[in-house]
Amino acid sequence: MDDHADHTRKPRADAVRNRERVLEAAKAVFNAGGPEASLEAVAKRAGVGIGTLYRHFPTREALFEAVYRREVEQLSELAEQLKNAKDPVEALRRWLRSGVEFVATKKGMMAALALAVQSGSELHAFSFERLTKAIGSLLDRAVAAGEMRADISPEDLLRAFFGMCYVHDQPGWQATALRLLDVFVDGLRVQPPGKAKASSSKTTKPATKRKR
Amino acid sequence: MDDHADHTRKPRADAVRNRERVLEAAKAVFNAGGPEASLEAVAKRAGVGIGTLYRHFPTREALFEAVYRREVEQLSELAEQLKNAKDPVEALRRWLRSGVEFVATKKGMMAALALAVQSGSELHAFSFERLTKAIGSLLDRAVAAGEMRADISPEDLLRAFFGMCYVHDQPGWQATALRLLDVFVDGLRVQPPGKAKASSSKTTKPATKRKR
DNA sequence: CGAAGATACGGAGGCTTCCTCCGTTTAACA
DNA sequence: TGTTAAACGGAGGAAGCCTCCGTATCTTCG
């Protein structure tokens, strides 16, 4: 495609190469040393000056975002697939469980989630939106089917999920997280009609009208 | 040998005074600047050399623990009082809500909780035990009354609570946390007998026998 | 009271990391 | 091949962590 209006030079080859190197090094270093690892170490491993690293990724978070974009995308695509499942509640549950597995497997996933959940920088936008949408689509389906209460937002759920995974470096955390998520999903189901216990709404002003 | 072992010298007055000063300064600095605040700043505010600070509190965590011991105790005493409430489920719910308020008010509370939850250092022992016991007593009562499922441990619940509070520096976090905790408590209630939906046990091997 | 010894003080200094700034190098384009 | 915009890289200042040890101060006991 010939772009005449575009006066942009072709990006320099060394720039592209270095960017890639830094990404790869960062992946390795972060996976090994956690999200606090030294950026200078990353630069050294990439065989690149610290200045170059900072030029490509002005902040630690920018680098994180770039490194874990793929993970976030995978998780979010999984939601897409699960939308075809019959039971919407089960689908949501399964997504959450897969999320736990992700965190367990990909060592940097937690950092990616932290970025997505901790709104603050501009840079988290991508992850946040992507994951919120993923959860939202599953949640909406369950709500639409009348199986789940409607007063929890996708953001809330994302935060809950993150919270459950937060202790991801303790011995039994995975089992714990799965248990907690199950409890949480149970709590999300609409209370059986007729015999509602109206538990929480007794002490809280309902954030949303409950079943009219 | 005459073991008048307990013939310890009286602790030096300046040492006691300085310890107190450091604690006070730390409280102020941590509440203002968060748990990452500079220890040198603490020392300066206390009018004390950095060496003195480190002698009294060899690690950042030790200092934290000392600063927030009181807060943890308060929270834990609250549980004691709530044990007298009629409705055990409601008591638990209230405790959790108070916890959220604590975190909202005392800015360093999160750090104290983090220490309590993240088992790891030796130093967290006190907080962890204290809070686990607090939650445990409320939880047990609810379980004994047949109102709550028995497959969640106090540690699990503590972690869940912590997780819900984790995003404690976002705009609406407090409302979110309260909502999430409500959902969670709902999920903790035993499913209404006779008409059980057996939601989670369908996909998970039951951690505990459910009422069959 | 006054000396002796134990204890605590404080901050210099070595180390690590962060991040910026700018002189030098190099790839793209004509 | 020359021009020039873009990228490189690392020196260096700022800040924080933590240790070490000479000096100051407190407690004890004769």
Side-chain angles (χ1 to χ4, degrees):
Chain A
M1 30 186 89
D2 40 355
D3 37 340
H4 6 344
D6 239 329
H7 243 243
T8 49
R9 263 189 176 199
K10 185 159 39 162
R12 280 178 56 158
D14 53 348
V16 176
R17 184 170 7 97
N18 279 339
R19 185 171 210 281
E20 213 48 46
R21 279 191 182 184
V22 168
L23 273 179
E24 195 169 344
K27 192 168 191 170
V29 170
F30 285 148
N31 278 344
E36 319 269 58
S38 153
L39 293 190
E40 318 228 322
V42 172
K44 190 180 296 179
R45 183 182 232 274
V48 133
I50 187 66
T52 298
L53 184 150
Y54 273 97
R55 193 167 332 98
H56 285 299
F57 308 98
T59 68
R60 180 181 289 271
E61 276 159 24
L63 184 51
F64 254 105
E65 170 111 14
V67 169
Y68 293 109
R69 209 181 190 90
R70 170 145 315 183
E71 263 84 334
V72 168
E73 259 159 5
Q74 276 183 48
L75 200 48
S76 141
E77 272 158 24
L78 178 59
E80 210 59 35
Q81 295 166 25
L82 284 174
K83 283 207 323 203
N84 301 326
K86 273 149 290 195
D87 183 345
V89 174
E90 226 31 60
L92 179 57
R93 199 189 296 274
R94 260 200 256 150
W95 188 84
L96 292 171
R97 298 178 145 265
S98 300
V100 171
E101 211 154 299
F102 252 74
V103 172
T105 306
K106 328 259 180 187
K107 287 195 69 175
M109 193 64 204
M110 249 339 251
L113 278 179
L115 265 188
V117 168
Q118 307 269 53
S119 83
S121 54
E122 294 300 310
L123 293 153
H124 81 298
F126 166 80
S127 302
F128 181 70
E129 198 204 301
R130 203 69 193 265
L131 288 176
T132 302
K133 226 173 236 166
I135 284 198
S137 71
L138 292 174
L139 189 57
D140 283 352
R141 226 165 59 97
V143 171
E147 303 216 32
M148 274 199 176
R149 49 200 280 183
D151 59 343
I152 295 294
S153 71
E155 289 87 355
D156 288 350
L157 188 46
L158 180 59
R159 281 174 200 154
F161 168 67
F162 176 73
M164 308 288 195
C165 289
Y166 185 67
V167 289
H168 70 119
D169 35 12
Q170 266 165 75
W173 81 270
Q174 219 172 328
T176 293
L178 292 177
R179 239 173 299 146
L180 294 180
L181 282 173
D182 267 346
V183 169
F184 195 82
V185 172
D186 285 351
L188 277 175
R189 306 197 67 137
V190 294
Q191 305 303 327
K195 189 240 156 28
K197 347 186 207 36
S199 50
S200 71
S201 53
K202 223 189 281 181
T203 53
T204 325
K205 57 178 180 302
T208 259
K209 60 271 220 106
R210 248 137 135 73
K211 124 169 344 177
R212 76 239 98 165
Chain B
M1 308 189 169
D2 44 349
D3 286 322
H4 289 288
D6 57 336
H7 183 274
T8 49
R9 260 186 178 216
K10 190 158 38 163
R12 277 178 57 160
D14 53 349
V16 176
R17 183 169 9 96
N18 279 337
R19 185 173 211 281
E20 213 48 47
R21 280 190 183 183
V22 168
L23 273 178
E24 195 169 346
K27 192 168 191 169
V29 171
F30 285 146
N31 277 344
E36 319 268 58
S38 154
L39 293 190
E40 318 226 320
V42 172
K44 191 182 295 179
R45 183 183 233 271
V48 133
I50 186 68
T52 297
L53 185 151
Y54 273 98
R55 196 171 326 102
H56 284 298
F57 308 98
T59 68
R60 181 180 288 268
E61 277 159 24
L63 184 51
F64 252 104
E65 170 113 13
V67 169
Y68 292 109
R69 207 181 193 91
R70 169 146 315 187
E71 261 82 335
V72 167
E73 259 158 6
Q74 275 182 50
L75 201 48
S76 138
E77 272 159 24
L78 177 59
E80 210 60 36
Q81 294 165 24
L82 284 174
K83 284 207 323 200
N84 300 327
K86 270 152 289 199
D87 184 344
V89 173
E90 225 30 62
L92 178 58
R93 198 189 297 273
R94 260 200 257 151
W95 189 83
L96 292 171
R97 299 180 144 265
S98 300
V100 171
E101 212 153 298
F102 253 75
V103 171
T105 307
K106 331 259 178 183
K107 283 196 72 176
M109 192 65 202
M110 253 334 255
L113 280 180
L115 266 188
V117 168
Q118 307 269 49
S119 83
S121 55
E122 294 299 310
L123 292 155
H124 81 298
F126 166 80
S127 302
F128 181 70
E129 199 205 299
R130 205 69 194 264
L131 288 176
T132 301
K133 226 173 237 169
I135 286 198
S137 71
L138 293 174
L139 189 57
D140 284 352
R141 225 164 62 96
V143 170
E147 303 215 34
M148 272 199 177
R149 47 201 281 183
D151 59 341
I152 295 293
S153 71
E155 289 86 356
D156 288 350
L157 188 45
L158 180 59
R159 281 173 199 153
F161 168 66
F162 176 72
M164 308 289 196
C165 290
Y166 187 65
V167 289
H168 68 119
D169 36 13
Q170 266 167 74
W173 81 270
Q174 218 171 327
T176 294
L178 291 177
R179 240 174 296 145
L180 294 180
L181 282 173
D182 268 346
V183 169
F184 195 82
V185 172
D186 285 351
L188 276 175
R189 307 198 66 139
V190 294
Q191 305 302 327
K195 189 246 155 26
K197 356 188 205 25
S199 52
S200 73
S201 55
K202 227 191 278 183
T203 53
T204 323
K205 55 178 178 304
T208 259
K209 61 218 165 180
R210 237 134 142 90
K211 140 166 333 182
R212 85 147 32 108

